[in-house]
Amino acid sequence: QKEVEQNSGPLSVPEGAIASLNCTYSDRVSQSFFWYRQYSGKSPELIMSIYSNGDKEDGRFTAQLNKASQYVSLLIRDSQPSDSATYLCAVRRSGGYNKLIFGAGTRLAVHP
Amino acid sequence: EAQVTQNPRYLITVTGKKLTVTCSQNMNHEYMSWYRQDPGLGLRQIYYSMNVEVTDKGDVPEGYKVSRKEKRNFPLILESPSPNQTSLYFCASSPPTGTGYSGELFFGEGSRLTVL
């Protein structure tokens, strides 16, 4: 079992719809969770971080964390073609263990 | 402009020919790390450094070396490259927090390496 798992996609949604990206992780002691966006041929860029159970909203993006279910998700409202990219989920363990584990990413395609 | 700079961006080399990929950041970050990205496998950590002269192995360190003699620089060295090291490499840095580093990574533009 991979430490961080994501559906590879592609996830195809129409413009204006809500895109829902999901991520599960195996290590219960994980404390910090991140979503990175990576356009084709570019480097990843951080778009959301979440540390506590519940929802965190930033513009059209909402990150949701459920530590009991070991599940983190990213919702993109009013999806735009410019949101088409690969979204990487990353999980950091707590304490002095300085490792950030990445999922393989979900490719999102928003079509007009 | 705050940035992480990698060089070279593209490189084709042959098996066994030593090469170095440089990485430099201008954000005064203590934490730096190298990742490789392969299709279907995502980003995997090669080495990381918490500060000058402090380095440690990540998940896939075999065949790589690093050094951290200055805070801003963190070069990746392939002493004897092999075809299985053909990959896209990213250097990243992160600002510190009270518990080490934040996990919020700033990535360089990537270096695409092909080993024939």
Side-chain angles (χ1 to χ4, degrees):
Chain A
Q1 180 190 8
K2 292 182 179 179
E3 287 195 64
V4 179
E5 297 213 53
Q6 299 180 253
N7 289 328
S8 60
L11 174 65
S12 182
V13 301
E15 184 175 356
I18 296 175
S20 178
L21 304 163
N22 304 316
C23 173
T24 58
Y25 59 95
S26 61
D27 192 339
R28 288 189 172 275
V29 302
S30 299
Q31 293 293 320
S32 307
F33 307 87
F34 307 88
W35 284 99
Y36 286 81
R37 178 177 62 199
Q38 186 176 22
Y39 292 114
S40 180
K42 301 295 185 182
S43 57
E45 57 177 334
L46 179 68
I47 54 172
M48 290 287 285
S49 58
I50 186 166
Y51 305 97
S52 303
N53 278 329
D55 295 359
K56 178 182 178 182
E57 187 174 318
D58 184 359
R60 294 186 296 112
F61 298 97
T62 298
Q64 299 175 317
L65 175 60
N66 184 327
K67 290 185 179 179
S69 300
Q70 296 174 237
Y71 176 94
V72 58
S73 64
L74 179 71
L75 301 178
I76 306 175
R77 289 183 301 281
D78 189 24
S79 295
Q80 301 297 310
S82 59
D83 295 325
S84 298
T86 296
Y87 290 80
L88 306 172
C89 173
V91 174
R92 184 198 169 199
R93 296 179 181 179
S94 65
Y97 196 65
N98 296 294
K99 181 180 283 190
L100 195 63
I101 310 296
F102 283 86
T106 298
R107 188 155 61 91
L108 173 66
V110 181
H111 54 86
Chain B
E1 180 188 354
Q3 58 185 4
V4 179
T5 303
Q6 297 178 226
N7 280 296
R9 296 285 316 281
Y10 302 91
L11 180 63
I12 300 174
T13 189
V14 295
T15 299
K17 187 176 181 181
K18 180 180 179 179
L19 68 92
T20 298
V21 186
T22 64
C23 175
S24 180
Q25 51 94 5
N26 62 1
M27 295 170 281
N28 202 35
H29 289 167
E30 293 178 346
Y31 181 91
M32 297 185 74
S33 183
W34 276 101
Y35 291 85
R36 61 178 288 174
Q37 187 173 38
D38 302 289
L41 297 178
L43 284 162
R44 293 180 294 167
Q45 190 179 49
I46 303 170
Y47 270 95
Y48 66 94
S49 170
M50 294 299 296
N51 212 329
V52 175
E53 302 292 0
V54 180
T55 63
D56 208 347
K57 296 177 180 178
D59 292 317
V60 288
E62 293 77 20
Y64 304 96
K65 286 177 58 177
V66 294
S67 67
R68 187 89 181 274
K69 293 181 169 50
E70 303 168 281
K71 196 173 188 177
R72 63 183 292 125
N73 295 324
F74 190 43
L76 179 69
I77 304 159
L78 286 73
E79 293 270 3
S80 182
S82 62
N84 64 12
Q85 292 178 298
T86 293
S87 187
L88 177 59
Y89 292 86
F90 288 103
C91 179
S93 69
S94 183
T97 68
T99 57
Y101 86 106
S102 68
E104 299 179 9
L105 294 170
F106 293 79
F107 285 88
E109 292 183 302
S111 297
R112 185 166 293 281
L113 171 65
T114 301
V115 183
L116 301 176

